[in-house]
């Protein structure tokens, strides 16, 4: 089965977690795009969505789904998002689409995080996919040096500016045996806005295609 087909199945399967009257947290990416398409069929049964990116906001609005401000909604019951890698503990690498900061905020605000992936994203050890880190631009070199000290190879995603006006460093060469420890450690470095490790707050449910992992 092609990855695109598994992504579509996962996006459509996540609809079963949407309850009537809900405000749904919505992630970013090609898998989430299938979820948003399916959500449009239920738009009269939900209050709306909190979006994690300008890209998802545009699709939600185009399909007539109200986009709400997280500051006004309070906690959410459900967040649906994709991932770049997922281990057996539902810990993730995210940020391939540079939307990691808002994704992490909406995930944190949500009671249940349903992660939708195709089977190519499943790994035993996180890190083959370069770890995205969103950084304040003036701190790029400082952070690069800190990553080298920790054995990583930082590569600036040149030309990419996030929705928050920041830059992305992709870290190659890490085999991440302790994702929570690395996430906590990196979070202490000044200038790092968000680490694309979702380990401290992993997914609650992972759908691989239409199967629960
Ligand atoms: C965006 C993300 C995406 O969830 C991740 O890149 C997966 O994308 P796709 O569903 O297109 O494979 O973290 O920042």
């Amino acid at each position: 089965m092609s990855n695109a087909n598994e992504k579509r199945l996962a996006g459509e399967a996540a609809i079963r977690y949407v309850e009537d009257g809900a405000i749904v947290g919505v992630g970013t990416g090609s898998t989430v795009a299938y979820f948003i398409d399916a959500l449009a069929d239920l738009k009269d049964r939900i209050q709306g969505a909190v979006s994690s990116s300008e890209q998802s906001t545009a699709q939600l609005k185009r399909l007539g789904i109200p986009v709400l401000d997280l500051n006004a909604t309070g906690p959410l019951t459900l967040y649906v998002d994709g991932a770049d890698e997922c281990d057996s503990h539902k810990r993730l690498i995210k940020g391939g689409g540079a939307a990691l900061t808002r994704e992490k905020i909406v995930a944190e605000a949500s009671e249940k995080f349903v992660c939708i992936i195709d089977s190519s994203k499943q790994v035993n050890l996180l890190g083959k996919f370069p770890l995205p880190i969103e950084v304040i631009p003036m701190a790029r070199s400082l952070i690069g040096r800190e990553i080298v000290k920790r054995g990583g190879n930082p590569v600036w995603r040149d030309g990419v500016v996030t929705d928050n006006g920041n830059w992305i460093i992709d870290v190659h060469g890490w085999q991440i045996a302790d994702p929570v420890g690395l996430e906590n450690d990196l979070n202490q470095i000044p200038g790092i806005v968000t680490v694309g490790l979702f380990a401290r707050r992993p997914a609650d449910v992972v759908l691989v295609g239409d199967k629960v992992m």
Side-chain angles (χ1 to χ4, degrees):
M1 188 185 291
S2 77
N3 287 350
N5 201 27
E6 285 186 359
K7 287 181 178 193
R8 182 182 55 76
L9 286 173
E12 292 173 359
I15 286 295
R16 73 174 89 115
Y17 294 89
V18 177
E19 292 174 355
D20 284 356
I23 299 171
V24 184
V26 172
T28 300
S30 57
T31 316
V32 165
Y34 290 113
F35 172 70
I36 297 174
D37 282 343
L39 194 62
D41 294 337
L42 314 181
K43 68 180 171 203
D44 296 332
R45 289 172 33 200
I46 61 170
Q47 289 187 61
V50 171
S51 174
S52 62
S53 64
E54 300 302 326
Q55 182 188 316
S56 290
T57 297
Q59 187 184 357
L60 289 159
K61 286 186 172 168
R62 199 168 56 244
L63 294 171
I65 300 170
V67 177
L68 307 172
D69 176 358
L70 184 63
N71 288 313
T73 62
L76 306 178
T77 51
L78 175 67
Y79 179 57
V80 177
D81 197 0
D84 300 300
E85 279 187 351
C86 174
D87 75 8
S88 59
H89 300 281
K90 304 184 178 71
R91 301 175 299 200
L92 314 170
I93 285 183
K94 290 185 46 55
L100 63 165
T101 294
R102 296 187 192 184
E103 290 173 342
K104 208 176 240 194
I105 292 168
V106 187
E108 186 75 21
S110 301
E111 201 177 302
K112 180 174 278 183
F113 176 2
V114 175
C115 182
I116 51 177
I117 56 172
D118 66 85
S119 48
S120 71
K121 309 289 182 67
Q122 291 181 288
V123 298
N124 292 323
L125 192 63
L126 297 169
K128 190 163 180 213
F129 188 94
L131 177 66
I133 299 180
E134 180 164 352
V135 305
I136 298 289
M138 74 170 286
R140 176 175 61 96
S141 298
L142 165 79
I143 292 163
R145 290 191 293 277
E146 290 298 321
I147 288 167
V148 169
K149 278 186 208 164
R150 290 162 173 79
N153 173 24
V155 177
W156 178 28
R157 210 183 291 179
D158 196 2
V160 171
V161 177
T162 70
D163 287 347
N164 314 302
N166 298 316
W167 291 350
I168 299 285
I169 292 174
D170 294 304
V171 185
H172 297 246
W174 270 341
Q175 296 196 325
I176 306 173
D178 176 11
V180 174
L182 184 63
E183 185 178 2
N184 286 337
D185 175 34
L186 294 172
N187 278 335
Q188 306 307 314
I189 300 172
I192 286 186
V193 177
T194 301
V195 179
L197 269 173
F198 286 51
R200 195 185 54 77
R201 197 271 182 259
D204 300 302
V205 175
V206 177
L207 296 174
V208 185
D210 56 359
K211 309 275 184 313
V212 178
M213 187 177 96

